[in-house]
């Protein structure tokens, strides 16, 4: 349900955002490292550090409001 929306955000912000999907059943060690307790879980990682997370499915406008402050705006000179 959330996956198509997250993939769309990745396409919309190509070059500023990298989207990685994880199957928590197949990658239990990574899921444990990030403390996954509910899915869907969106984790923002900037410079190798977690900066924010969102648990649960949300509509596109809410996802954009959450994500866009973290996305670098390209220099348009």
């Amino acid at each position: 349900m959330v996956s198509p929306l997250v993939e769309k955000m990745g396409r919309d912000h190509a070059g500023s955002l990298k989207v990685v999907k994880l199957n928590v059943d197949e990658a239990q060690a990574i899921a444990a490292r990030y403390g996954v307790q509910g899915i869907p879980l969106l984790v923002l990682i900037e410079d190798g550090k977690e900066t924010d997370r969102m648990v649960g499915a949300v509509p596109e406008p809410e996802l954009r409001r959450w994500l866009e402050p973290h996305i670098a705006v390209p220099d348009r000179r």
Side-chain angles (χ1 to χ4, degrees):
M1 185 172 174
V2 171
S3 188
L5 179 55
V6 171
E7 290 171 7
K8 178 182 184 302
M9 296 293 288
R11 286 189 305 275
D12 290 351
H13 297 284
S16 297
L17 174 68
K18 181 176 184 178
V19 174
V20 177
K21 296 191 306 185
L22 177 73
N23 181 326
V24 296
D25 293 324
E26 294 176 4
Q28 294 179 0
I30 296 171
R33 182 183 331 154
Y34 286 97
V36 176
Q37 295 183 358
I39 53 174
L41 170 66
L42 303 177
V43 179
L44 284 176
I45 299 172
E46 297 178 60
D47 298 323
K49 297 183 176 109
E50 181 178 331
T51 58
D52 205 353
R53 64 174 46 207
M54 177 182 282
V55 179
V58 296
E60 183 173 354
E62 187 173 340
L63 179 60
R64 284 192 182 279
R65 277 192 301 275
W66 173 74
L67 182 61
E68 286 180 346
H70 300 280
I71 297 174
V73 176
D75 187 359
R76 300 196 190 273
R77 285 188 249 172

